[in-house]
Short mmCIF file of all heavy atoms in Angstrom, two decimals:
data_model
loop_
_atom_site.label_atom_id
_atom_site.label_comp_id
_atom_site.label_asym_id
_atom_site.label_seq_id
_atom_site.Cartn_x
_atom_site.Cartn_y
_atom_site.Cartn_z
N ALA I 27 49.40 155.04 94.46
CA ALA I 27 49.52 153.71 94.89
C ALA I 27 50.38 153.53 96.13
O ALA I 27 51.18 154.40 96.40
CB ALA I 27 50.14 152.80 93.82
N ASP I 28 50.17 152.52 96.95
CA ASP I 28 50.94 152.35 98.14
C ASP I 28 52.46 152.44 97.89
O ASP I 28 53.19 152.95 98.70
CB ASP I 28 50.57 150.95 98.83
CG ASP I 28 49.17 150.90 99.32
OD1 ASP I 28 48.45 151.87 99.32
OD2 ASP I 28 48.81 149.80 99.87
N ARG I 29 52.82 151.71 96.87
CA ARG I 29 54.24 151.63 96.54
C ARG I 29 54.90 153.05 96.27
O ARG I 29 56.04 153.28 96.69
CB ARG I 29 54.37 150.65 95.33
CG ARG I 29 55.79 150.36 94.96
CD ARG I 29 55.65 149.29 93.93
NE ARG I 29 56.86 149.06 93.26
CZ ARG I 29 57.09 148.21 92.29
NH1 ARG I 29 56.09 147.46 91.84
NH2 ARG I 29 58.27 148.13 91.74
N VAL I 30 54.15 153.73 95.47
CA VAL I 30 54.60 155.22 95.16
C VAL I 30 54.63 156.03 96.40
O VAL I 30 55.66 156.69 96.67
CB VAL I 30 53.73 155.82 94.08
CG1 VAL I 30 54.10 157.20 93.79
CG2 VAL I 30 53.71 154.98 92.82
N ARG I 31 53.52 156.00 97.25
CA ARG I 31 53.62 156.73 98.55
C ARG I 31 54.81 156.29 99.39
O ARG I 31 55.49 157.18 99.97
CB ARG I 31 52.34 156.57 99.35
CG ARG I 31 51.18 157.51 98.73
CD ARG I 31 49.92 157.44 99.53
NE ARG I 31 49.20 156.23 99.30
CZ ARG I 31 48.93 155.27 100.17
NH1 ARG I 31 49.20 155.52 101.46
NH2 ARG I 31 48.19 154.30 99.80
N GLY I 32 54.96 155.04 99.47
CA GLY I 32 56.13 154.47 100.26
C GLY I 32 57.46 155.06 99.78
O GLY I 32 58.28 155.42 100.58
N SER I 33 57.63 155.06 98.45
CA SER I 33 58.87 155.53 97.84
C SER I 33 59.06 157.05 98.19
O SER I 33 60.20 157.51 98.54
CB SER I 33 58.91 155.32 96.42
OG SER I 33 58.93 153.93 96.07
N ILE I 34 58.04 157.78 98.02
CA ILE I 34 58.05 159.25 98.25
C ILE I 34 58.45 159.51 99.68
O ILE I 34 59.31 160.28 100.04
CB ILE I 34 56.85 159.96 97.90
CG1 ILE I 34 56.58 159.99 96.32
CG2 ILE I 34 56.78 161.39 98.42
CD1 ILE I 34 55.30 160.37 95.86
N PHE I 35 57.79 158.85 100.61
CA PHE I 35 58.09 159.11 102.06
C PHE I 35 59.41 158.49 102.43
O PHE I 35 60.02 159.00 103.43
CB PHE I 35 56.92 158.63 102.85
CG PHE I 35 55.78 159.52 102.93
CD1 PHE I 35 54.63 159.23 102.15
CD2 PHE I 35 55.76 160.70 103.59
CE1 PHE I 35 53.43 160.15 102.01
CE2 PHE I 35 54.73 161.63 103.49
CZ PHE I 35 53.58 161.36 102.76
N ASN I 36 59.90 157.46 101.82
CA ASN I 36 61.24 156.98 102.11
C ASN I 36 62.33 157.95 101.70
O ASN I 36 63.30 158.13 102.43
CB ASN I 36 61.52 155.59 101.40
CG ASN I 36 60.80 154.50 102.09
OD1 ASN I 36 60.44 154.59 103.31
ND2 ASN I 36 60.50 153.37 101.41
N ILE I 37 62.09 158.63 100.56
CA ILE I 37 62.95 159.69 100.08
C ILE I 37 62.98 160.87 101.10
O ILE I 37 64.01 161.46 101.45
CB ILE I 37 62.65 160.21 98.66
CG1 ILE I 37 62.96 159.07 97.69
CG2 ILE I 37 63.37 161.45 98.33
CD1 ILE I 37 62.26 159.25 96.28
N LEU I 38 61.77 161.24 101.52
CA LEU I 38 61.66 162.36 102.54
C LEU I 38 62.20 162.02 103.84
O LEU I 38 62.69 162.98 104.53
CB LEU I 38 60.24 162.82 102.58
CG LEU I 38 59.70 163.36 101.33
CD1 LEU I 38 58.06 163.62 101.47
CD2 LEU I 38 60.32 164.67 100.91
N GLY I 39 62.13 160.80 104.31
CA GLY I 39 62.71 160.33 105.50
C GLY I 39 62.14 161.05 106.72
O GLY I 39 60.98 161.41 106.77
N ALA I 40 63.11 161.42 107.62
CA ALA I 40 62.69 162.04 108.85
C ALA I 40 62.25 163.51 108.62
O ALA I 40 61.72 164.18 109.58
CB ALA I 40 63.85 162.03 109.78
N GLY I 41 62.42 164.02 107.44
CA GLY I 41 61.93 165.34 107.05
C GLY I 41 60.48 165.64 107.22
O GLY I 41 59.87 166.70 107.28
N VAL I 42 59.72 164.54 107.21
CA VAL I 42 58.26 164.59 107.36
C VAL I 42 57.82 164.96 108.80
O VAL I 42 56.89 165.72 109.00
CB VAL I 42 57.53 163.24 106.95
CG1 VAL I 42 56.01 163.21 107.09
CG2 VAL I 42 57.91 162.98 105.47
N ARG I 43 58.52 164.49 109.79
CA ARG I 43 58.19 164.76 111.18
C ARG I 43 58.26 166.23 111.48
O ARG I 43 59.32 166.90 111.25
CB ARG I 43 59.18 163.97 112.11
CG ARG I 43 58.81 164.11 113.56
CD ARG I 43 59.34 162.91 114.38
NE ARG I 43 59.03 161.61 113.99
CZ ARG I 43 57.79 161.07 114.22
NH1 ARG I 43 56.92 161.69 114.78
NH2 ARG I 43 57.61 159.77 113.84
N GLY I 44 57.14 166.78 111.88
CA GLY I 44 56.94 168.21 112.32
C GLY I 44 56.74 169.09 111.01
O GLY I 44 56.68 170.31 111.21
N ALA I 45 56.64 168.49 109.89
CA ALA I 45 56.52 169.34 108.61
C ALA I 45 55.09 169.96 108.50
O ALA I 45 54.15 169.44 108.97
CB ALA I 45 56.86 168.49 107.43
N LEU I 46 55.05 170.96 107.72
CA LEU I 46 53.77 171.61 107.24
C LEU I 46 53.58 171.13 105.80
O LEU I 46 54.61 171.42 104.98
CB LEU I 46 53.81 173.10 107.38
CG LEU I 46 54.12 173.70 108.71
CD1 LEU I 46 54.14 175.21 108.65
CD2 LEU I 46 53.10 173.25 109.76
N VAL I 47 52.54 170.51 105.51
CA VAL I 47 52.34 169.81 104.25
C VAL I 47 51.17 170.38 103.43
O VAL I 47 50.07 170.57 103.93
CB VAL I 47 52.16 168.38 104.39
CG1 VAL I 47 51.96 167.59 103.07
CG2 VAL I 47 53.28 167.71 105.14
N LEU I 48 51.37 170.65 102.13
CA LEU I 48 50.26 171.13 101.26
C LEU I 48 50.05 169.97 100.26
O LEU I 48 51.00 169.57 99.53
CB LEU I 48 50.59 172.37 100.59
CG LEU I 48 49.71 172.85 99.45
CD1 LEU I 48 48.31 173.11 100.03
CD2 LEU I 48 50.31 174.01 98.68
N VAL I 49 48.78 169.46 100.18
CA VAL I 49 48.56 168.40 99.17
C VAL I 49 47.55 168.95 98.20
O VAL I 49 46.39 169.15 98.55
CB VAL I 49 47.87 167.14 99.86
CG1 VAL I 49 47.66 166.08 98.82
CG2 VAL I 49 48.83 166.67 100.99
N LEU I 50 48.04 169.15 96.95
CA LEU I 50 47.18 169.67 95.79
C LEU I 50 46.61 168.38 95.18
O LEU I 50 47.14 167.37 95.04
CB LEU I 50 47.94 170.52 94.96
CG LEU I 50 48.61 171.80 95.51
CD1 LEU I 50 49.46 172.46 94.46
CD2 LEU I 50 47.49 172.68 96.07
N PHE I 51 45.31 168.54 94.65
CA PHE I 51 44.65 167.44 93.93
C PHE I 51 44.61 166.23 94.91
O PHE I 51 45.04 165.18 94.68
CB PHE I 51 45.39 167.03 92.71
CG PHE I 51 45.68 168.21 91.67
CD1 PHE I 51 46.89 168.84 91.60
CD2 PHE I 51 44.59 168.78 90.99
CE1 PHE I 51 47.14 169.87 90.85
CE2 PHE I 51 44.77 169.88 90.19
CZ PHE I 51 46.07 170.41 90.10
N ALA I 52 44.15 166.49 96.18
CA ALA I 52 44.22 165.56 97.24
C ALA I 52 43.39 164.28 97.02
O ALA I 52 43.80 163.28 97.65
CB ALA I 52 43.75 166.25 98.51
N GLY I 53 42.44 164.27 96.22
CA GLY I 53 41.70 163.00 95.99
C GLY I 53 41.05 162.36 97.21
O GLY I 53 40.19 162.88 97.80
N THR I 54 41.71 161.27 97.65
CA THR I 54 41.27 160.57 98.85
C THR I 54 41.89 161.06 100.16
O THR I 54 41.44 160.83 101.18
CB THR I 54 41.63 159.06 98.75
OG1 THR I 54 43.01 158.93 98.68
CG2 THR I 54 40.96 158.36 97.55
N GLY I 55 42.96 161.94 99.85
CA GLY I 55 43.66 162.46 101.09
C GLY I 55 44.76 161.41 101.51
O GLY I 55 45.45 161.74 102.58
N ALA I 56 44.99 160.42 100.81
CA ALA I 56 46.04 159.38 101.21
C ALA I 56 47.36 160.01 101.52
O ALA I 56 47.99 159.66 102.48
CB ALA I 56 46.15 158.32 100.20
N MET I 57 47.85 160.90 100.63
CA MET I 57 49.22 161.42 100.78
C MET I 57 49.27 162.20 102.06
O MET I 57 50.20 162.10 102.81
CB MET I 57 49.57 162.28 99.54
CG MET I 57 49.91 161.50 98.29
SD MET I 57 51.38 160.55 98.39
CE MET I 57 52.62 161.75 98.32
N GLY I 58 48.34 163.05 102.31
CA GLY I 58 48.33 163.94 103.46
C GLY I 58 48.10 163.20 104.78
O GLY I 58 48.76 163.39 105.77
N ILE I 59 47.25 162.15 104.74
CA ILE I 59 47.03 161.31 105.91
C ILE I 59 48.26 160.49 106.25
O ILE I 59 48.58 160.34 107.38
CB ILE I 59 45.73 160.51 105.76
CG1 ILE I 59 44.46 161.45 105.74
CG2 ILE I 59 45.62 159.47 106.93
CD1 ILE I 59 43.21 160.84 105.35
N GLU I 60 48.87 159.99 105.13
CA GLU I 60 50.08 159.24 105.31
C GLU I 60 51.14 160.17 105.95
O GLU I 60 51.90 159.68 106.91
CB GLU I 60 50.63 158.78 103.98
CG GLU I 60 51.83 157.88 104.07
CD GLU I 60 51.51 156.50 104.49
OE1 GLU I 60 50.52 155.93 103.98
OE2 GLU I 60 52.29 155.91 105.33
N ALA I 61 51.25 161.47 105.61
CA ALA I 61 52.10 162.39 106.16
C ALA I 61 51.82 162.63 107.68
O ALA I 61 52.80 162.60 108.48
CB ALA I 61 52.14 163.71 105.44
N LEU I 62 50.55 162.78 107.97
CA LEU I 62 50.21 162.89 109.39
C LEU I 62 50.53 161.65 110.20
O LEU I 62 50.91 161.74 111.36
CB LEU I 62 48.73 163.24 109.54
CG LEU I 62 48.25 164.62 109.02
CD1 LEU I 62 46.70 164.62 108.95
CD2 LEU I 62 48.72 165.68 109.96
N SER I 63 50.36 160.50 109.59
CA SER I 63 50.59 159.22 110.28
C SER I 63 52.06 159.15 110.61
O SER I 63 52.48 158.50 111.56
CB SER I 63 50.19 158.11 109.33
OG SER I 63 50.49 156.86 109.92
N ARG I 64 52.92 159.74 109.73
CA ARG I 64 54.36 159.69 109.88
C ARG I 64 54.89 160.88 110.71
O ARG I 64 56.15 161.07 110.76
CB ARG I 64 55.03 159.57 108.46
CG ARG I 64 54.74 158.30 107.76
CD ARG I 64 55.30 158.34 106.38
NE ARG I 64 54.99 157.14 105.64
CZ ARG I 64 55.90 156.26 105.20
NH1 ARG I 64 57.18 156.49 105.49
NH2 ARG I 64 55.60 155.23 104.52
N GLY I 65 54.05 161.69 111.22
CA GLY I 65 54.49 162.72 112.18
C GLY I 65 54.42 164.17 111.62
O GLY I 65 54.95 165.08 112.30
N ALA I 66 53.84 164.38 110.48
CA ALA I 66 53.61 165.75 110.05
C ALA I 66 52.86 166.59 110.99
O ALA I 66 52.02 166.05 111.68
CB ALA I 66 53.07 165.87 108.60
N GLU I 67 53.15 167.85 111.15
CA GLU I 67 52.53 168.66 112.13
C GLU I 67 51.15 169.17 111.59
O GLU I 67 50.20 169.22 112.40
CB GLU I 67 53.32 169.99 112.35
CG GLU I 67 52.78 170.93 113.43
CD GLU I 67 52.86 170.35 114.80
OE1 GLU I 67 53.78 169.55 115.04
OE2 GLU I 67 52.07 170.70 115.70
N PHE I 68 51.10 169.49 110.33
CA PHE I 68 49.80 170.12 109.78
C PHE I 68 49.70 169.75 108.26
O PHE I 68 50.73 169.86 107.62
CB PHE I 68 49.81 171.56 110.07
CG PHE I 68 48.52 172.29 109.67
CD1 PHE I 68 47.49 172.24 110.57
CD2 PHE I 68 48.42 172.94 108.45
CE1 PHE I 68 46.26 172.93 110.31
CE2 PHE I 68 47.22 173.63 108.20
CZ PHE I 68 46.18 173.61 109.07
N VAL I 69 48.54 169.42 107.76
CA VAL I 69 48.38 169.21 106.43
C VAL I 69 47.18 170.07 105.79
O VAL I 69 46.13 170.17 106.51
CB VAL I 69 48.14 167.73 106.09
CG1 VAL I 69 47.80 167.47 104.58
CG2 VAL I 69 49.26 166.87 106.50
N VAL I 70 47.32 170.64 104.71
CA VAL I 70 46.26 171.38 103.98
C VAL I 70 45.98 170.56 102.76
O VAL I 70 46.79 170.23 101.96
CB VAL I 70 46.73 172.87 103.52
CG1 VAL I 70 45.60 173.41 102.63
CG2 VAL I 70 47.02 173.68 104.69
N PHE I 71 44.68 170.14 102.71
CA PHE I 71 44.22 169.31 101.53
C PHE I 71 43.48 170.25 100.57
O PHE I 71 42.56 171.00 101.02
CB PHE I 71 43.20 168.23 102.03
CG PHE I 71 43.82 167.23 102.99
CD1 PHE I 71 43.79 167.41 104.38
CD2 PHE I 71 44.37 166.10 102.53
CE1 PHE I 71 44.33 166.55 105.26
CE2 PHE I 71 44.93 165.16 103.38
CZ PHE I 71 44.93 165.36 104.72
N GLU I 72 43.81 170.16 99.27
CA GLU I 72 43.14 171.05 98.28
C GLU I 72 42.73 170.11 97.17
O GLU I 72 43.41 169.35 96.62
CB GLU I 72 44.17 172.09 97.80
CG GLU I 72 43.55 173.03 96.73
CD GLU I 72 42.49 173.88 97.29
OE1 GLU I 72 42.49 174.37 98.45
OE2 GLU I 72 41.45 174.04 96.55
N ASP I 73 41.36 170.33 96.82
CA ASP I 73 40.84 169.67 95.61
C ASP I 73 39.65 170.38 95.12
O ASP I 73 38.93 171.03 95.98
CB ASP I 73 40.45 168.16 96.04
CG ASP I 73 40.40 167.29 94.82
OD1 ASP I 73 39.53 167.50 93.92
OD2 ASP I 73 41.21 166.32 94.80
N ASN I 74 39.32 170.36 93.80
CA ASN I 74 38.17 171.02 93.45
C ASN I 74 36.95 170.16 93.27
O ASN I 74 35.87 170.57 92.93
CB ASN I 74 38.50 171.67 92.07
CG ASN I 74 38.79 170.75 90.96
OD1 ASN I 74 38.99 169.51 91.20
ND2 ASN I 74 38.97 171.33 89.72
N ASP I 75 37.05 168.90 93.57
CA ASP I 75 35.98 167.92 93.50
C ASP I 75 35.28 167.82 94.92
O ASP I 75 35.86 167.43 95.95
CB ASP I 75 36.40 166.57 93.04
CG ASP I 75 35.33 165.53 92.88
OD1 ASP I 75 34.33 165.89 92.19
OD2 ASP I 75 35.33 164.52 93.56
N LYS I 76 33.99 168.14 95.05
CA LYS I 76 33.34 168.19 96.26
C LYS I 76 33.31 166.72 96.93
O LYS I 76 33.30 166.58 98.11
CB LYS I 76 31.90 168.73 96.18
CG LYS I 76 31.98 170.19 95.89
CD LYS I 76 30.73 170.85 95.81
CE LYS I 76 30.97 172.32 95.47
NZ LYS I 76 29.81 173.18 95.60
N THR I 77 33.12 165.76 96.01
CA THR I 77 33.08 164.31 96.50
C THR I 77 34.41 164.00 97.25
O THR I 77 34.38 163.30 98.32
CB THR I 77 32.74 163.41 95.40
OG1 THR I 77 31.57 163.76 94.84
CG2 THR I 77 32.59 161.96 95.96
#
Side-chain angles (χ1 to χ4, degrees):
D28 291 358
R29 188 170 167 182
V30 174
R31 278 186 284 124
S33 294
I34 290 169
F35 283 102
N36 285 337
I37 291 167
L38 296 172
V42 176
R43 187 159 300 286
L46 305 177
V47 179
L48 172 63
V49 182
L50 300 174
F51 309 102
T54 61
M57 288 292 285
I59 294 170
E60 187 76 44
L62 289 168
S63 179
R64 292 173 182 246
E67 183 72 28
F68 187 82
V69 176
V70 174
F71 298 90
E72 181 64 41
D73 203 297
N74 64 354
D75 181 57
K76 291 182 184 192
T77 305

